[in-house]
Amino acid sequence: MTHQNSMFDRNQFLLGTFASNCSGGMSVTKVPERWVNSWDNNLRLAHLLDDAGIDFMLPIARWIGYGGETNFHGNVLETITWATGLLAKTCNINVFATIHTAANHPAVVAKQLATIDQISGGRIGLNIVAGWNQPEYEALGLNLPAGHEERYGYAQEWFDVVKALWSRTEAFDWEGKHFQLKNILGDPRPTTRVPILNAAGSGQGRAFAAQNADFLFTPAIDLSRSGEEVAALKQQGADAGRSVGVLTFAHVVCRPTEKEAQDYLKYFGKDNADWDAVDNLVRLQFAHAQSFPHDLLALIRDRMAAGHGGYPLVGTPEQVAEGILALHKAGFNGTTLSFVDYAEEFPYFRDHVLPILESEGIRRAVA
């Protein structure tokens, strides 16, 4: 191991972006300025983030869109190739690849990430998805197991194979329930510890994350209940002998005045929301996943339109900073950020919000 990945720095509140590889990003909206997920736009964004000291970029792996007028997330850049290209063109930022275990052989993924580790100087991360979106499974000719136990049982063996390939130095056989491998060896292996992320809402999913992930990704729907939840998740990791950080995701509408921010939120997130796509997204989440609390459906539906269910950071730079400080106070180790147009809106956040977070001591200024 040559150095520690900066994601493991627990001395500052981590900031990243989410879903810039997807059409529309995190905003299920019809407004013409919604995010265009072209390679050029992603590279432009990556350079802005890298220069500003943002910690990571996290993609969504998606194979079919959610319909509606915009077919939200119908156009998605594949995450391994996306991450590789961004890492080759940046200097400090970490980039995750999001991988569906059922659609990707663990031996292939282990070698892909070991290769990207060399390209990036140890800045690649792995976001493991055990599966929830049944139409996508059908599109790929796969069956989505009804029970979370089976999904995470498969994911556990999948990741056990990856870890074996990253740690063993001689060829081995693997005789498991899901994988039977003969005389296999992982060479090269990552030179740094690869940060592992997992988004989990079910009991089985959170047990998997506590046992395997460095970061558990969970919504911050209601901060009055988040403090206890985050503490419990960290304790679950500690009980498994591991230090597990908890990340959430947020959507930013930052403007010079609160009225400007609220007016823009109404414009893109209500008046011009793609409600057919929103309802398809909510229906699938509640049918096959347990990421969101079911007793907050009405609130979640509105937040799905604005930011895919992310915590709203809406207002002046001071108000947005206050929201991030509240996430920090609730015990989260970091959050992702999304914008209607990431590359156009991030510079204002960089110039006006980051300095407040630095003065509050939860972020360090870029050297």
Side-chain angles (χ1 to χ4, degrees):
M1 301 283 176
T2 57
H3 69 278
Q4 177 171 275
N5 184 289
S6 61
M7 288 294 295
F8 297 113
D9 180 1
R10 296 294 172 87
N11 294 319
Q12 75 168 348
F13 189 78
L14 296 170
L15 293 177
T17 55
F18 194 17
S20 70
N21 67 310
C22 302
S23 58
M26 295 285 279
S27 302
V28 196
T29 182
K30 297 182 285 187
V31 297
E33 69 269 27
R34 66 185 182 274
W35 178 245
V36 175
N37 61 316
S38 67
W39 169 250
D40 287 345
N41 280 344
N42 272 275
L43 185 57
R44 176 188 172 203
L45 174 64
H47 284 147
L48 289 168
L49 300 173
D50 201 28
D51 291 344
I54 298 301
D55 302 291
F56 65 99
M57 297 177 73
L58 176 65
I60 289 178
R62 190 60 65 237
W63 304 101
I64 60 173
Y66 290 105
E69 183 178 324
T70 63
N71 192 24
F72 180 66
H73 285 188
N75 182 325
V76 174
L77 301 181
E78 190 279 323
T79 71
I80 285 279
T81 43
W82 174 85
T84 307
L86 293 178
L87 287 164
K89 293 286 189 177
T90 52
C91 298
N92 298 300
I93 195 166
N94 303 288
V95 183
F96 282 79
T98 296
I99 298 296
H100 291 120
T101 57
N104 297 271
H105 194 283
V108 176
V109 172
K111 188 171 287 289
Q112 286 173 320
L113 294 185
T115 304
I116 305 172
D117 173 76
Q118 290 191 22
I119 293 170
S120 66
R123 293 183 288 123
I124 184 65
L126 171 61
N127 177 27
I128 299 174
V129 179
W132 65 271
N133 192 331
Q134 185 169 330
E136 286 197 321
Y137 272 62
E138 293 169 351
L140 297 175
L142 301 171
N143 293 317
L144 177 67
H148 283 69
E149 296 89 348
E150 188 174 348
R151 298 182 207 175
Y152 282 101
Y154 182 92
Q156 184 64 65
E157 187 176 343
W158 185 96
F159 189 50
D160 287 344
V161 171
V162 171
K163 289 186 292 184
L165 289 164
W166 283 351
S167 62
R168 300 188 189 184
T169 57
E170 295 186 3
F172 60 93
D173 294 344
W174 184 278
E175 291 292 338
K177 178 179 178 182
H178 303 288
F179 299 100
Q180 295 79 41
L181 313 177
K182 300 296 183 184
N183 194 38
I184 192 164
L185 174 65
D187 193 9
R189 292 171 291 280
T191 58
T192 54
R193 177 182 166 195
V194 176
I196 306 300
L197 191 150
N198 179 246
S202 68
Q204 297 89 345
R206 292 186 168 184
F208 174 86
Q211 188 66 41
N212 300 284
D214 300 300
F215 298 96
L216 193 155
F217 198 55
T218 191
I221 302 298
D222 180 357
L223 287 192
S224 68
R225 50 167 98 172
S226 288
E228 291 184 5
E229 179 189 15
V230 170
L233 292 171
K234 292 183 177 181
Q235 185 60 51
Q236 192 171 355
D239 292 343
R242 306 182 67 257
S243 175
V244 178
V246 181
L247 304 178
T248 192
F249 55 106
H251 189 76
V252 179
V253 183
C254 189
R255 299 292 188 272
T257 69
E258 182 178 6
K259 183 179 186 303
E260 286 176 272
Q262 292 292 345
D263 286 350
Y264 190 68
L265 175 66
K266 181 176 182 294
Y267 159 71
F268 83 87
K270 290 186 181 297
D271 297 345
N272 289 285
D274 188 344
W275 288 113
D276 289 339
V278 170
D279 289 336
N280 288 337
L281 176 55
V282 171
R283 176 177 53 79
L284 284 169
Q285 283 279 352
F286 278 73
H288 303 296
Q290 296 181 24
S291 299
F292 294 93
H294 287 209
D295 59 326
L296 298 176
L297 176 59
L299 174 62
I300 290 169
R301 184 175 184 266
D302 280 347
R303 289 195 185 174
M304 279 290 182
H308 208 303
Y311 188 73
L313 297 171
V314 180
T316 64
E318 293 76 16
Q319 289 172 316
V320 169
E322 286 172 6
I324 294 173
L325 289 166
L327 293 173
H328 177 262
K329 184 177 180 180
F332 289 103
N333 296 94
T335 186
T336 63
L337 308 168
S338 60
F339 306 83
V340 172
D341 186 328
Y342 297 75
E344 288 297 318
E345 295 180 58
F346 172 73
Y348 187 78
F349 176 93
R350 175 198 63 202
D351 295 342
H352 297 278
V353 179
L354 287 182
I356 299 174
L357 302 181
E358 292 161 9
S359 69
E360 293 289 340
I362 70 168
R363 296 283 301 175
R364 289 189 296 272
V366 176

